[in-house]
Each structure stands twice: as C-alpha cells, then as structure tokens.
Amino acid sequence: MMSLPPQDDSPQPEILSLDEFNVAIPQDVYDHLSKQYSTLDGDGDDVDGETKHIDRILSCMKRSPVDTCCRVNNIQSSVKEVEAGLEQYFTESQHNNSYAIQQHETLTDLVTIRTTTPTDSDAATLYHSKVPTKKTCNLSNDVPSDESDDLFSNWQLRRKQGWPLTHRCVIVDRFCAEAVLRGADIFVKGILCADAGIAESEEVAVYASLPRNGTKSKPITRGMLLQNFCDRCVFIGIGISQCKRADYFATSSGIGVVMVSTAGSPQPPMNGVLVEKMILQNLPSVVVAHALNPQPGEVILDMCCAPGGKTTHLASLMNDNGLIIACDKSRKKMISARDFFEANASCIVPLALDSTKGLLELKSGEEWKSPKEIIDTASVANDGLKDVKGFYANSFDCILLDPPCTALGLRPKLQIDTKSAKELIKAADYQQKFIRNAIPLLKVGGRMTYSTCTINTLESEENVKFILKEFPCMRLESLSHLPGLPGLPDKGLTEEECQMVRRFDPTDTIDTMGFFLAGFQKVF
C-alpha cells in the first residue's frame, strides 16, 4: 500500500547543501571575533556579498584546505622517496590523474598534494547540491538503479521531505562528517541512521547531522530509520556501502562506507599511507619547527606536545641528535604519543607533566641538575613513563610552546564548540600560565616559539604583547622569511612587530587553517 504524504504540521527535516550551510556559532562569540577582524571588513563588493571578514573565515571553515600536506621524516626517508611512494600509491589506487604532487618551495621537507580536478567536477557540483543528481559509478545488477520505479515505495513522502529519489541515504555525526571532508572514509561508529534496505556495494548519499540554529535538538537514536529523522542535515558526498544496513549498527568497528565523491575541496584518502616515511600535518604546524630552527645536540622542551607531530618534526630537523623532552598533562595521551615517538625517532623522552607546574625551585644547598641528569635518574612508573616533576631554570636551548587553545582555526569545522566569549578570555589567561613557566626554563640566548591554532587574537597577538611587556628579557624575532601573513593591527603590537609574526588566515591564497606563530630569543 502506498504511504500517504505527511500532514503540513508534521516535523520535517531541514536539508542543506554545504554551500548554503552556515557554521553554527554563539552570537557573543561571533560578535567578539567580528570586532577583532573589523579592520579587514570589505565595502560591499566582496565575493558572495560577504562584507565582514569573520563571515569569509566561517565560510572557508566548512571545507578542507586545498592542499594535503605530507611532512617528510628526514630520519627515515627523503623527499624523493616520499614523492615516488605517493606517485606509486595514486597509480595503484587509480588516483594518479587527479592529484599533483610537489615539494613545497619554502619548506623543503614538505610535500603537498593538490587536486587537479576541474572546477566543474563532481566535488564542486556536490558543494552546491542538497541531493546527488546521478549515480557516479557502476553498480552490480542486484542493487537498485536510478531507473528503478520501485526504489522507494513511499516516494511521495520522501519527495516532500526533500530526500533524494535516486539514492538511499546515510546520516553521520558531525565529527565523522568533518573527517570525511578531510578525505576519510566512514567507520560504522560514525553512522547515526540510514534508509531501510541498503545493500552491500550500493551507492549511497551521505549527510551530516547538525542541530538547527537556535534550538536544542532531540537526541538521535542510533540505528533509527531515515524517515524518522526530522533535524537539520548537510549533504557531504556520495559513497559505496561496504555492508548491509543492519551491519552498520550490529558491529562497533570497520568501514561502513567508502567515499567516492565529497563536497568541497577533493581530498585523497591517506589513512595508512607511507606512515614510516611521512606524517600528515597542516602547513602552519610544519612552519613551527622551522621557526624554532633546532640544531643537532640541543636540549629542547615541547611543553604541550600531544599528539606529537611538531615534536617528531623537531627530531627530524635535528637528525635525531639531541634531547627532546615532550610533555603533556594527560597520561593517556602521552602513552599513545610514546608509541608514535618510538616509531619516528630515538631522541624524544615523553613525560606526563603539567607544564604550568614544571618549574622546580632550587632550594638552599640543593644542586642544580640538567634535564638529562633529571631524566637519567628518574624512576619509571608501571606504564613505562619516567616520573619527573619538573626542571630547573635555565635548562633548555629551545622551547616549543603550543598551549591548549580554543582551536577556532581548525578546518573543516561544521560547528563552533566555544560556548561564550568568556571562554575566549579564559583560554588566553590559561596560556599565560604556560608562558610564565616557559621563560624561566629557557637559557639565556635560547629560542622559543609560541603558537596557537585559533583565530582569536586574545590568544595570539595579544599574548605576544603580554610576553614583551611582562618579560623584557624576551626579544621578538622576525619570521617574515616563512610562509604566512603579518599579525593583525591594533592588537597590541607595533607595525614592525606585526611584520615579524606569522598569522595564517583561512581566506588567504595559501588556503590553510587559522593559526598564529611568533618566535622569541631570551637576551638576558
């Protein structure tokens, strides 16, 4: 029997294209950031009519950067080996005609992968679509095609709700969707609900579940039928189901859908590719280690290291010759990071240490010990981590400080998790605790970088101002030779100082994440 269309007052899903979707952000957070970037606002003639710079940033946030960045591990490989390995990978996976591989012109240990697909490609079309317009690949005979009249017996209800009539659908959670937009496939744990009748090898439309603006969404019962979904969702691409619908919710691990085409910037699937020879990192994160410029034999402190990408980059630039103390407050994170470090370098010592409390007071009659002496004499806990409480002043040649931040620069991002403008202020205050401990630990003549993956100037330019004001011993060093933009004006830095720091804006031609970086030297 044919299903009747729902009544006018029936709850309806809100289905959007990625293009028309606006990243959810609390109003006071938006107002706070909008004021910070007001000097960059347009005059009304901007693309898409977006005159506020914060709106342009948020528009970029919902898609991935155009380049996939592969930082080479110089200890175990070379740029030529990585380039050859990537060429082979794409050839074997039939991607060799879609992506261009090249060494970065400034960061010589960085290899970038960029799509060469024309702008009228499936990805560009899907970015503006709420539903797929066609099947993208050949399916087996036992899977319904778009020519089938009986693909959906309730097609009237489906048409009224706005779901595609050519594909069955899968809805994933927000975090899964952001991973998909970075090039990942869909693990079954990320699937929330789906159409009935999905078969193995069937092409499906993929949507991301997101709360409606200004409302508190009802929890989604994982495994429910698509026809019962009445919240907001965004179309993010097309994939091939790797199992029957029932298996999505009967198992807790494994791939549920392999993506074929994704809305936004096309990204290559890179999970497990050349893991011993390279590490996937965002471009600004690669810039950090080059800014610190570690030298063989130096003793270095990474105060907030997890997950460890910047730490291993330091080891790579030092050719694994020196001592790197890598800290994080979370013991769980450090146990995971230890395994990562051991696979990439031998000069890194992981510690579960809160770096806001890592400065030891040298008591009367007590002998000053170097970091190596402290590490060598430290006891080992049951989980294998050294038991170290901290280090004495003037211990390190270099310090990399990348403290916890609001992470407002990460891409892709479909929702801003910062709840209020007060959190932006609290984050900057918390970062100053790390700064107050870092500077005494640095030797005279030593170098320090300060970086955050956010667009909030309180955590960036204004914390540089804090360092220069509170610690006259610290001199700002120019990073103008590295990629990036100058700092924002009117945020506490002089025009000359703005030119010395590096700010990465998602709207810039580099097309990367939001990020900030400054370099210092301790002069007395």
Side-chain angles (χ1 to χ4, degrees):
M1 180 180 294
M2 182 179 294
S3 299
L4 294 175
Q7 299 299 315
D8 290 343
D9 59 353
S10 299
Q12 300 293 306
E14 180 185 1
I15 303 173
L16 303 172
S17 68
L18 194 57
D19 176 44
E20 64 187 350
F21 166 73
N22 293 318
V23 175
I25 179 172
Q27 187 62 48
D28 67 332
V29 175
Y30 175 87
D31 293 340
H32 190 96
L33 296 174
S34 179
K35 185 177 180 180
Q36 290 180 349
Y37 283 86
S38 60
T39 57
L40 301 180
D41 288 349
D43 57 6
D45 297 326
D46 298 79
V47 177
D48 298 327
E50 293 173 342
T51 59
K52 287 193 172 184
H53 194 74
I54 186 60
D55 291 331
R56 294 193 287 270
I57 290 177
L58 292 173
S59 181
C60 291
M61 284 295 186
K62 58 191 178 184
R63 58 177 177 80
S64 289
V66 66
D67 289 329
T68 297
C69 295
C70 309
R71 195 263 299 163
V72 178
N73 182 350
N74 291 328
I75 301 169
Q76 301 180 9
S77 188
S78 67
V79 168
K80 287 186 177 181
E81 286 183 17
V82 168
E83 288 178 328
L86 289 172
E87 292 283 1
Q88 181 179 357
Y89 164 68
F90 288 126
T91 299
E92 292 176 351
S93 57
Q94 299 181 338
H95 284 296
N96 57 313
N97 294 323
S98 300
Y99 298 98
I101 301 166
Q102 63 181 16
Q103 183 180 17
H104 193 274
E105 60 182 4
T106 304
L107 309 173
T108 56
D109 58 352
L110 181 64
V111 174
T112 62
I113 306 170
R114 177 174 293 196
T115 180
T116 56
T117 308
T119 54
D120 60 352
S121 67
D122 282 343
T125 301
L126 295 179
Y127 183 76
H128 300 281
S129 302
K130 297 181 182 182
V131 297
T133 56
K134 61 181 180 178
K135 289 286 195 291
T136 60
C137 57
N138 295 324
L139 304 177
S140 59
N141 293 331
D142 60 341
V143 178
S145 71
D146 55 346
E147 301 295 328
S148 175
D149 292 332
D150 60 353
L151 183 58
F152 301 106
S153 60
N154 61 342
W155 63 270
Q156 288 179 302
L157 170 64
R158 193 174 184 86
R159 172 176 288 174
K160 184 175 181 64
Q161 291 182 326
W163 299 114
L165 298 178
T166 57
H167 293 68
R168 291 187 175 91
C169 301
V170 168
I171 296 185
V172 302
D173 64 43
R174 190 251 295 189
F175 300 105
C176 178
E178 290 172 348
V180 166
L181 294 173
R182 289 194 296 270
D185 292 319
I186 298 174
F187 285 85
V188 292
K189 289 186 70 174
I191 299 176
L192 297 175
C193 66
D195 263 314
I198 293 176
E200 184 177 353
S201 299
E202 180 175 349
E203 185 172 292
V204 295
V206 180
Y207 292 82
S209 173
L210 294 158
R212 295 180 191 261
N213 287 335
T215 62
K216 188 174 182 180
S217 301
K218 294 181 180 179
I220 297 173
T221 302
R222 188 169 181 269
M224 77 179 188
L225 291 170
L226 183 80
Q227 66 192 47
N228 297 322
F229 180 88
C230 58
D231 212 327
R232 184 172 66 156
C233 64
V234 178
F235 179 51
I236 61 171
I238 299 169
I240 304 298
S241 179
Q242 301 301 290
C243 56
K244 296 182 296 183
R245 181 198 191 277
D247 294 333
Y248 292 161
F249 310 109
T251 58
S252 59
S253 62
I255 299 291
V257 177
V258 171
M259 296 304 296
V260 173
S261 190
T262 305
S265 305
Q267 301 291 309
M270 298 295 292
N271 186 39
V273 178
L274 302 179
V275 292
E276 295 181 354
K277 296 182 178 181
M278 68 178 202
I279 295 168
L280 296 176
Q281 282 186 273
N282 286 293
L283 185 145
S285 296
V286 178
V287 175
V288 172
H290 284 284
L292 193 58
N293 191 26
Q295 300 299 307
E298 288 187 321
V299 180
I300 299 176
L301 175 65
D302 187 344
M303 295 185 73
C304 310
C305 74
K310 298 182 187 70
T311 316
T312 56
H313 193 190
L314 295 175
S316 177
L317 293 176
M318 297 167 67
N319 199 28
D320 209 14
N321 178 6
L323 175 62
I324 302 175
I325 309 296
C327 304
D328 198 278
K329 184 178 180 179
S330 168
R331 200 166 195 92
K332 182 179 179 180
K333 288 182 179 179
M334 290 314 301
I335 292 172
S336 177
R338 176 188 60 196
D339 298 335
F340 175 59
F341 294 153
E342 290 176 351
N344 287 276
S346 61
C347 67
I348 304 171
V349 177
L351 298 178
L353 177 65
D354 181 352
S355 293
T356 66
K357 304 173 182 177
L359 177 62
L360 296 178
E361 179 184 355
L362 187 63
K363 298 177 181 178
S364 177
E366 194 173 50
E367 183 182 356
W368 184 93
K369 292 183 179 180
S370 69
K372 186 177 186 306
E373 290 172 321
I374 291 174
I375 294 297
D376 287 345
T377 57
S379 59
V380 179
N382 292 335
D383 56 18
L385 296 179
K386 295 266 190 177
D387 186 11
V388 173
K389 303 300 182 186
F391 301 94
Y392 295 109
N394 303 307
S395 285
F396 294 95
D397 299 299
C398 300
I399 293 178
L400 191 158
L401 176 52
D402 189 81
C405 71
T406 51
L408 293 175
L410 296 183
R411 292 174 60 190
K413 185 184 285 290
L414 299 178
Q415 181 176 314
I416 301 298
D417 292 321
T418 303
K419 299 296 189 294
S420 69
K422 289 182 179 179
E423 290 187 15
L424 302 178
I425 299 171
K426 284 183 178 180
D429 291 342
Y430 184 50
Q431 289 154 1
Q432 291 175 10
K433 293 183 178 181
F434 290 92
I435 293 169
R436 292 185 184 279
N437 274 265
I439 293 173
L441 288 169
L442 190 63
K443 295 178 181 178
V444 174
R447 308 179 302 283
M448 184 181 89
T449 55
Y450 173 82
S451 57
T452 56
C453 57
T454 187
I455 58 173
N456 176 26
T457 63
L458 293 176
E459 302 174 71
S460 45
E461 283 92 346
E462 294 179 61
N463 262 345
V464 171
K465 174 187 175 182
F466 168 79
I467 292 172
L468 296 175
K469 180 180 178 181
E470 296 294 320
F471 300 92
C473 62
M474 299 299 285
R475 182 178 68 196
L476 189 64
E477 296 289 295
S478 177
L479 303 179
S480 61
H481 60 290
L482 294 170
L485 297 169
L488 281 176
D490 303 321
K491 300 303 171 191
L493 301 182
T494 66
E495 183 177 347
E496 181 183 3
E497 290 167 343
C498 284
Q499 296 297 321
M500 299 171 80
V501 301
R502 295 292 85 183
R503 178 176 58 87
F504 294 86
D505 189 312
T507 69
D508 186 37
T509 53
I510 293 179
D511 192 5
T512 188
M513 66 188 295
F515 199 89
F516 179 86
L517 170 65
F520 301 87
Q521 184 174 34
K522 189 174 181 178
V523 293
F524 63 84

